[in-house]
Amino acid sequence: MEYLAQRLHPRLYRNGEVLFGQGDQGDGLYLIEQGTVRVYRVTAAGKEITLALRGAGEVVGDRSLLDGLPRSAGACAQGS
């Protein structure tokens, strides 16, 4: 836990602010302390489709760390 705690970088995101985009290289994961994060995918036609809403205590962005591929979805702060 100490090892992980030393590597955490708390950050506040405003409503609509992007944490990471679809296709970005995965260089970290996000542990949600409070609020909601919307995970979405952009279609070939440019339409955003919400895949999930994640809240306090949940993690987003871990998949690309595990598979080494670019991010398969984007994530942004949702709500206030």
Side-chain angles (χ1 to χ4, degrees), residues 31-61:
L31 172 61
I32 305 164
E33 184 176 7
Q34 65 183 39
T36 304
V37 171
R38 181 173 67 91
V39 179
Y40 63 90
R41 206 175 257 172
V42 180
T43 68
K47 181 179 177 184
E48 282 188 8
I49 298 174
T50 299
L51 301 175
L53 296 174
R54 300 286 185 236
E58 295 185 281
V59 173
V60 295

Side-chain angles (χ1 to χ4, degrees), residues 13-30:
Y13 290 88
R14 296 186 181 276
N15 183 32
E17 188 174 356
V18 174
L19 283 67
F20 55 83
Q22 182 176 329
D24 289 354
Q25 187 60 41
D27 59 357
L29 60 83
Y30 296 76

